[in-house]
Structure formats: C-alpha cells, structure tokens
Amino acid sequence: MQAYYDARETLPADERERRLFQRLPAALAQASARAPSIARQLGDIDPASLDSRQALALVPVLRKSELLQVQHAARIARAGDAADAERLRVFGGFSAIGWGEARRVYASPGPIYEPEGPRPDYWGFARALHAAGVRPGMLVHNCFSYHFTPAGSMMETAAHALGCTVFPGGVGQTEQQVRAMADLAPQAYTGTPSFLRIILEKADEMGVALPSLTRALFSGEAYPPSLQAWFRARGIQGFQAYGSADLGMVAFETSAREGLVANEDLILEIVRPGTGQPVPDGEVGELVVTTLNADYPLLRFGTGDLSARMPGASPCGRTNLRIRGWLGRADQTTKVRGMFVHPEQIAQVLERHPEIGRARLVVSGEAGHDIMTLRVEAGAALDTGAVADTVREQTKLRAVIEVVASGALPNDGKVIEDVRRYD
C-alpha cells in the first residue's frame, strides 16, 4: 500500500519552501490580471519580490470580514451592469473564473460566494483521504451537505480523484443512512464525527451491524481523543482534516496523530491576532493562508482561527510544517463601557511600546461596572503611565497596567479576555 499521496509529501523542507516561493510570484501576476482585488491588495508590491516569508509578511492580511464586505459592495455597485463579468460582481474581484468556467458556485454564511473550478480534486481533500487510509476501489459514504456549502463536493471530488465510488448520503434521515450502509457496505465515511456516532447508535437500536465501515475522514467539528477511542472500539480509524470554503483543505491528520500536516499547495503562517506579524514557532496566533489556487487565489487570507506551528517533522515521514489544529477564534472584539475594543488596538499599543513582550487585556467586573486591566510581560522599568496613556488614546478608555514576569501569560493566542459576570 502506497504510504504517501505523492512524492511532495516527503520533500526536504527547504526544497518545498523554495518551490512554493518559486511558484508564488507567477501565480500572483496571473491572478492580478483577472482578479483585480488581488492587485489592490498587493498595492505597490511587485509580485516578483515575494520570494520569501519575510517578503510575504509585508502584504496586508485579508480577513474574512473584509472579503464579505468587498463582495457585498461589488454586488450592490454592479447590480445593474449586465455587461460586467459575473466573476467581478459576485466574487468581488477575487475570482479568476466566472460562469461557464466555474463548475459550481457555493454560498457560505454572510453570504460569501465561492467558485469551484473544473480541475480534479479542486478542494485538495484527496491527500487527506489518502492519509486516512482510503484507496482506489473503495465506496465512500459521504454525509456532508450537498447544498449551499461545498463540503459535500469537497469530499466527493477528492474520492473521485482517488478512484473511489461515492454514495451521496448528505445529512439527516438517520434510519435511511443505516439501511444504505447495510446494503452497500461502504469501507469509508466522510462527514462530521457527531453524525457518524448518531448513525452507529441508530444502527445499534435497529439491530443492524455495519462491519464494512473501517475508515473515516472527519471535518467541521472537534475530534477529541475520547471520540477517537469511541470509534476505535467500533473498529473505525477516524482522522480529521481542517479546511474552509474559501481555501479548501488546509491541513490533515496522519497516522502519527501528532498535529495536522499542511497541504502542499499553500503557504501557511501564524500571525499575532489583529496584525499581520508572524509569531515565533510554538506561539498561538491567527492562521493566515496564501493559496496557489489559480481559479480563486487568496493572498494572506486571515481565517480568524487560532493555531500554533509545531516543531520538526511528523513521525509519519511527511515533512511539511504542522499545526496543533483548531485552538479557538482570533476575533476577540468585545464591548467595554459602550465602546468596541479590538485586538488591533492592543497590537498598536505594543507597537508603540516595543519593550513589552506578550500582553493581554482582561475585561472584568459586573454589568455596568467594567474594569480594563492590561497585563504585560515587561521589566520593572516599564513606564506604566505612558502605556496607560497609549491604551486610552487607542481605545478611548482607561485601563490599569499590570506588569507580570516573562512567560506568565498563557500561550493561547488570546489578546482580549472577557471575564465579566452577568449573573
């Protein structure tokens, strides 16, 4: 049985990096020609200069909320312009393909619209299915939705790329799912872990055995060790993959069970929430992805999800960088005394005071009596009065400055922590 999906998975790390940044300038130059929003994001930056992570970090991060705003504005501005290309009107100038070139178009909450191009395994999940043990000739029971969002197509196109047959189970109709599994005997399942558990528990109630099912690729939900053990006791090896409708498959679990290995066709960064500044390896931050998808190129796309880069290569032999998986949300905006406070504002405080290491704004008190405390890792000589003035300048609110020892703040990516009581 072939251990790896392709030879790229075991490339030396420096060779992979060289190849990615060799491809990036040409991909961005091509994207800029048909996706004007990519050109606007680049501004005066020459795509040819983006030949390293240090150079890439100079490009502004595009966050999901901005993508939504740009798409919405484009649909309003171009609503009556029938002559305009649909890819500009619907996708806000981020897509290089439009009607006729795209096979399907999907809608994520917002709504944000995403195109699906015609190439095989468009979303990149075949690599994750392969790592989960799915092989040519298997039947895959796909319980992701086939409506509005691309999850169903993500798994179906991946299974087809591997040479598998797919049963489009979709969601709901638990008893019918059990009957189909009993009749068709699929070897693999794709969907959320919670729905497969519901199906298996329903099968127990019905007195139906499903011994053929031995592999599963999960996404869309957490997959903790307790749930791994539950499926393992049923004879099912389940693996998880992390992705989104914007980016496709980002990272996937392997037999090593140590973090998630990044996909081969993207550049993954971890940045300090509210900024575009990469953090040191091991520190929790926002996951930012640059995809080399020529149809829907996204440059430094801020997912809003927190994760951290893991050191070294996976014991499974795959050499791409690894992340710890989903660790929460980066958007920690909160309202204090009627004013919104954003992580970006705390980042600006740190930029003004480089003698501060890590920082966390803690909002405490009871409803109507908010207290802001900025806890900072710094030396005793820090001018806390000056820092307090900067906080007030940035947020229009007063804060207590509390100096703590280096390493005292948790490494969890939180910039703003709301501990107020509302009872």
Side-chain angles (χ1 to χ4, degrees), residues 323-409:
I323 58 173
R324 285 172 53 191
W326 187 82
L327 300 177
R329 291 293 294 168
D331 184 6
Q332 300 153 28
T333 297
T334 191
K335 185 176 280 189
V336 182
R337 299 173 219 153
M339 302 282 289
F340 280 108
V341 181
H342 305 273
E344 291 90 338
Q345 293 169 309
I346 307 307
Q348 288 162 356
V349 172
L350 300 190
E351 189 175 324
R352 188 83 62 83
H353 299 277
E355 65 272 28
I356 296 175
R358 194 178 293 153
R360 175 180 299 214
L361 184 72
V362 180
V363 185
S364 59
E366 299 176 357
H369 300 281
D370 300 332
I371 301 169
M372 286 199 336
T373 303
L374 184 65
R375 305 185 70 206
V376 299
E377 295 181 0
L382 179 71
D383 186 344
T384 56
V387 177
D389 289 343
T390 304
V391 173
R392 188 173 185 185
E393 177 187 326
Q394 294 295 330
T395 67
K396 312 305 180 194
L397 298 165
R398 296 181 185 273
V400 176
I401 310 302
E402 179 185 335
V403 179
V404 301
S406 178
L409 296 178

Side-chain angles (χ1 to χ4, degrees), residues 77-269:
R78 302 174 185 275
D81 189 354
D84 197 25
E86 291 298 313
R87 60 187 173 82
L88 300 180
R89 184 182 71 83
V90 175
F91 305 115
F94 284 99
S95 176
I97 58 174
W99 301 164
E101 300 163 299
R103 290 284 175 86
R104 300 178 182 89
V105 59
Y106 290 100
S108 295
I112 295 176
Y113 294 102
E114 302 97 6
E116 178 184 278
R119 70 176 180 275
D121 189 31
Y122 177 82
W123 304 96
F125 276 86
R127 191 178 301 280
L129 271 180
H130 185 274
V134 178
R135 295 294 183 269
M138 288 187 175
L139 174 64
V140 177
H141 192 107
N142 185 13
C143 283
F144 274 118
S145 173
Y146 278 77
H147 307 290
F148 274 82
T149 62
S153 183
M154 285 175 169
M155 297 300 175
E156 180 169 289
T157 53
H160 288 165
L162 288 179
C164 298
T165 299
V166 175
F167 177 78
V171 295
Q173 302 176 314
T174 311
E175 289 191 15
Q176 292 183 47
Q177 303 279 8
V178 172
R179 291 296 181 194
M181 284 186 174
D183 291 342
L184 299 175
Q187 294 95 336
Y189 164 94
T190 52
T192 62
S194 62
F195 191 49
L196 180 56
R197 182 166 184 165
I198 289 170
I199 290 173
L200 295 176
E201 289 174 342
K202 176 59 70 173
D204 291 344
E205 290 178 19
M206 297 168 62
V208 175
L210 301 173
S212 67
L213 196 62
T214 60
R215 298 283 174 176
L217 180 64
F218 300 126
S219 194
E221 290 179 351
Y223 184 49
S226 59
L227 202 49
Q228 290 183 29
W230 191 90
F231 284 114
R232 193 162 51 246
R234 306 289 297 245
I236 298 170
Q237 290 292 328
F239 297 81
Q240 60 181 317
Y242 165 71
S244 76
D246 317 280
L247 301 164
M249 199 271 287
V250 174
F252 61 101
E253 189 175 24
T254 74
S255 58
R257 305 285 187 184
E258 292 188 10
L260 305 180
V261 177
N263 203 350
E264 294 290 336
D265 292 306
L266 52 80
I267 299 168
L268 188 153
E269 303 171 88

Side-chain angles (χ1 to χ4, degrees), residues 10-49:
T10 55
L11 279 175
D14 56 350
E15 175 63 15
R16 173 183 294 105
E17 194 84 346
R18 186 189 68 80
R19 291 188 185 188
L20 283 172
F21 282 95
Q22 190 176 55
R23 293 169 59 192
L24 179 63
L28 290 177
Q30 178 182 346
S32 297
R34 297 206 74 199
S37 287
I38 297 294
R40 283 194 293 271
Q41 185 182 358
L42 283 168
D44 295 331
I45 298 173
D46 182 356
S49 70

